[in-house]
Amino acid sequence: MSLSTSTHTAPRNEAASPPAPSQSGSDLGLLVLRWAVGLTMAAHGTQKLFGWFGGGGLDGTAAFFGGSGYAAPETMAVVAGLTETLAGLGLVIGLLTPLAGAGIVGIMLNAVAVKWGSGFFNPTGIEYDLMLLVAGASLALAGPGRFAVDRLLPVLRTHRLSHGAAAVALGAASAGIVLLTLRG
């Protein structure tokens, strides 16, 4: 009995091409990540807006923003609550995903700035906020995957890195403006 090697090789273009998107699992992975981050952010937003899930509502959130040195704490409470809720729901259904990711980037940059100096690990550190920030930026850059409402919108049907990069820059710039002008 002799050992021989097969001389059959795959055509060059088949060997070099990645698996088809439907076979790679990336669309399902993006859906799971969108749901996890989106539902988490939407729940946090409703805590701020309505006091749901043990949250402080608008009054408690405004007191937090005031105690953290933000001017117009009542306005900040509404903006933060709406941004978290709408960006979170946008991620859940995959609607305007780059902008939803940008909203999370902006909110979480402010959260990191408030907690900066308290260490990395929870309960007072920045680890949780930083993970949500990175997840929001990653979703903005990667796009929503195939299982998203964005696939029905002509401009966002095919996600482009430029959309995601512009959205992340917008979220970071918005956070910077808020931190420089509204936080003492």
Side-chain angles (χ1 to χ4, degrees):
M1 200 169 174
S2 71
L3 295 174
S4 65
T5 58
S6 173
T7 58
H8 175 73
T9 59
R12 181 179 293 254
N13 60 354
E14 282 182 29
S17 65
S22 62
Q23 297 172 350
S24 71
S26 62
D27 293 316
L28 184 58
L30 288 168
L31 177 66
V32 170
L33 182 60
R34 283 192 357 251
W35 283 357
V37 174
L39 290 173
T40 297
M41 293 306 297
H44 277 275
T46 60
Q47 284 183 309
K48 289 173 177 60
L49 292 173
F50 311 116
W52 295 355
F53 310 113
L58 287 174
D59 292 337
T61 304
F64 168 79
F65 277 111
S68 297
Y70 285 86
E74 294 84 7
T75 302
M76 286 299 303
V78 171
V79 169
L82 285 174
T83 301
E84 289 181 3
T85 302
L86 296 176
L89 293 176
L91 286 181
V92 168
I93 64 173
L95 178 63
L96 303 174
T97 304
L99 288 177
I104 292 170
V105 167
I107 289 290
M108 291 296 103
L109 278 173
N110 272 272
V112 167
V114 166
K115 291 182 176 182
W116 194 258
S118 297
F120 181 74
F121 296 104
N122 269 329
T124 59
I126 63 169
E127 70 176 323
Y128 177 72
D129 306 294
L130 190 60
M131 286 304 298
L132 287 171
L133 187 158
V134 170
S138 297
L139 286 167
L141 292 169
R146 289 185 309 140
F147 308 120
V149 174
D150 282 351
R151 299 274 297 176
L152 305 174
L153 303 174
V155 173
L156 295 175
R157 184 170 292 135
T158 304
H159 180 77
R160 292 175 180 81
L161 178 60
S162 60
H163 293 152
V168 170
L170 175 65
S174 297
I177 291 168
V178 167
L179 288 168
L180 290 174
T181 60
L182 296 177
R183 186 159 186 249

